[in-house]
Amino acid sequence: MDSPFATALSLIASGDAALMQIIGLSLQVTLTAVLIACVVGLPSGAALALARFPGRGVVIVAFNALMGLPPVVAGLLVYLMLSRSGPFGSLALLFTPTAMIIAQTLLILPIVVSLTRSVVEDLWAEYREQLRSLGAGRLRAVPTLLWDGRVSLLTGVLAGFGRASAEVGAVLIVGGNIAGHTRTMTTAITLETARGQLGLAVALGIILMVLTLTLNAAAWWAGQWARERLG
């Protein structure tokens, strides 16, 4: 009964305070980052899909490339911006949940922008004539196109959530993995494994897997429901 899995199940079943605190902070940071990325990325991606301006191709390539931005590089950039010698050092945000949210938003935003651009661009090509016949220009068509592509866009949002929730390097650099303050599920798994405390690490791993499976199942169900009801 002293195996890591038994200990992990015991921690989950008892609602261990440290376990719950880590899970709560992880969800707070990741969901806030996803929300910010969606508020900024969805309209920005749609605008990039419909607008025509010099250098548009360069912007598209840049966002596509940033989808693969290494987390440690994102963390380093945020660290340099928020450190005492950086331009925003006076805000004292380094090693706080806010810094972790900024780093995760930086990782998620290119995914949301790029996938939104792709979805809206395809929908505009398909429905352009119908929308124009109804008097909807490019700008006025954005809400309609975003709503019509909501199922595909949900996939992009979940991809962003998955990237953020599984990320270690960036939050470790800017958060510092401080117990009770900036310790997330991924950084705690890394630390507890290194310390040989596998019970907590396995418990957090189980929670992370269940969370990921639940969200993807919900997205699949939503997609199936939309296809059956909307055709």
Side-chain angles (χ1 to χ4, degrees):
M1 292 300 294
D2 292 330
S3 70
F5 287 100
T7 304
L9 293 175
S10 176
L11 289 171
I12 295 172
S14 64
D16 181 75
L19 178 69
M20 293 300 109
Q21 192 277 330
I22 292 171
I23 294 171
L25 177 63
S26 299
L27 291 176
Q28 175 191 340
V29 169
T30 300
L31 291 175
T32 303
V34 169
L35 178 61
I36 295 172
C38 287
V39 170
V40 176
L42 290 174
S44 299
L48 186 58
L50 301 179
R52 295 295 180 268
F53 55 89
R56 176 177 177 270
V58 175
V59 175
I60 292 174
V61 171
F63 272 108
N64 288 341
L66 288 173
M67 290 175 66
L69 178 67
V72 290
V73 175
L76 178 60
L77 291 174
V78 176
Y79 182 94
L80 293 173
M81 297 293 287
L82 300 181
S83 64
R84 288 185 178 182
S85 59
F88 302 106
S90 60
L91 299 177
L93 295 177
L94 198 60
F95 304 131
T96 66
T98 301
M100 297 158 64
I101 291 170
I102 294 172
Q104 289 199 354
T105 301
L106 187 60
L107 291 171
I108 301 170
L109 186 60
I111 297 175
V112 176
V113 170
S114 295
L115 294 180
T116 301
R117 192 240 356 130
S118 177
V119 170
V120 172
E121 205 169 53
D122 291 342
L123 289 173
W124 175 250
E126 183 176 354
Y127 297 116
R128 175 172 49 199
E129 297 305 324
Q130 293 92 320
L131 289 169
R132 282 180 171 172
S133 68
L134 296 173
R138 292 176 182 268
L139 183 61
R140 291 181 59 187
V142 168
T144 302
L145 294 173
L146 288 175
W147 175 253
D148 196 61
R150 61 192 180 279
V151 175
S152 298
L153 294 175
L154 179 60
T155 303
V157 172
L158 286 175
F161 178 88
R163 177 160 166 79
S165 62
E167 195 281 317
V168 180
V171 294
L172 189 60
I173 292 173
V174 302
N177 199 21
I178 303 170
H181 185 53
T182 59
R183 184 163 296 171
T184 63
M185 285 190 280
T186 52
T187 59
I189 290 172
T190 302
L191 176 65
E192 297 302 323
T193 300
R195 294 167 59 181
Q197 303 295 328
L198 297 180
L200 181 57
V202 172
L204 290 167
I206 292 172
I207 295 296
L208 194 57
M209 286 298 300
V210 169
L211 182 62
T212 302
L213 289 172
T214 300
L215 286 172
N216 280 278
W220 179 84
W221 179 85
Q224 291 295 111
W225 179 86
R227 291 186 185 91
E228 292 176 0
R229 295 293 296 271
L230 304 177

